[in-house]
Amino acid sequence: MGTTTETNVDYVMDMRASQFTVQVFSGGILSAFGHNPTITIRDFMGEAQVNPEEPERSSLKITVKAESLTVRDDISDKDRHEMERAMQQEILETSSYPEIVYECSNLSATKAAEGQYSVKLNGDLTLHGVTRPQTVPARVVLTGDSLRAFGNFSLLQSDYDLKLA
């Protein structure tokens, strides 16, 4: 939902209306299950401050509860439980690193149409206690008091000191 403050419009993520997934291309621990799992993120919060007149002066922060990552794939309950246990305890170590945070206050934007932008977020991702620059290309649509964003990016587990999955 968007609220206006000065020239910025503040948007807060609505988990009920949002979808946040991760596609894992596995090699190590999770490869024993024979496929590349899709992970759903169930608990996250975020807010964006958008300047519609100067989109480059916008910002975004998303915080994910690491323990909320679950396997979405159609697999046996036994495999799902073991994959989630390995992901949370052995890879993400959620008891030591409970949050994953992405913060961006540096972006470029190109207006594609009225209320639609192609953006390049140049932010920092903190995962497993390691913070690294992370660029995220996305498409943003502003309609009334809502903001919808669609994007994807890749990362290497080794960049974040994660055990290979």
Side-chain angles (χ1 to χ4, degrees):
M1 198 61 114
T3 58
T4 304
T5 57
E6 297 177 25
T7 57
N8 287 340
V9 179
D10 296 328
Y11 294 92
V12 177
M13 287 187 175
D14 179 352
M15 283 192 329
R16 295 175 314 246
S18 301
Q19 181 178 344
F20 202 163
T21 59
V22 175
Q23 179 66 58
V24 177
F25 297 100
S26 52
I29 295 170
L30 298 182
S31 66
F33 296 94
H35 71 290
N36 300 315
T38 300
I39 308 297
T40 297
I41 300 171
R42 295 176 297 127
D43 189 355
F44 58 92
M45 60 186 158
E47 66 180 275
Q49 292 186 334
V50 178
N51 184 319
E53 302 301 317
E54 299 177 75
E56 300 80 21
R57 297 183 57 169
S58 302
S59 64
L60 170 71
K61 181 176 181 180
I62 299 172
T63 303
V64 171
K65 298 293 183 191
E67 67 183 11
S68 78
L69 278 67
T70 58
V71 177
R72 184 175 82 178
D73 300 355
D74 186 20
I75 57 174
S76 73
D77 287 342
K78 179 180 179 261
D79 283 354
R80 178 184 327 282
H81 177 73
E82 181 54 26
M83 288 177 78
E84 289 174 356
R85 185 205 59 75
M87 176 177 55
Q88 293 176 7
Q89 294 177 12
E90 298 175 36
I91 299 169
L92 295 174
E93 298 179 281
T94 59
S95 60
S96 297
Y97 307 102
E99 292 184 337
I100 301 165
V101 179
Y102 183 74
E103 292 186 84
C104 175
S105 59
N106 177 10
L107 64 101
S108 59
T110 304
K111 191 170 188 173
E114 189 59 41
Q116 297 182 31
Y117 301 87
S118 291
V119 300
K120 185 173 164 183
L121 303 165
N122 300 299
D124 290 316
L125 177 64
T126 301
L127 171 63
H128 199 248
V130 177
T131 301
R132 294 204 178 275
Q134 181 65 57
T135 299
V136 179
R139 185 170 48 96
V140 174
V141 179
L142 302 172
T143 311
D145 65 353
S146 72
L147 178 152
R148 294 183 56 100
F150 310 87
N152 60 53
F153 64 94
S154 297
L155 61 84
L156 294 174
Q157 288 175 255
S158 57
D159 286 346
Y160 293 91
D161 297 333
L162 295 167
K163 184 184 281 188
L164 293 180

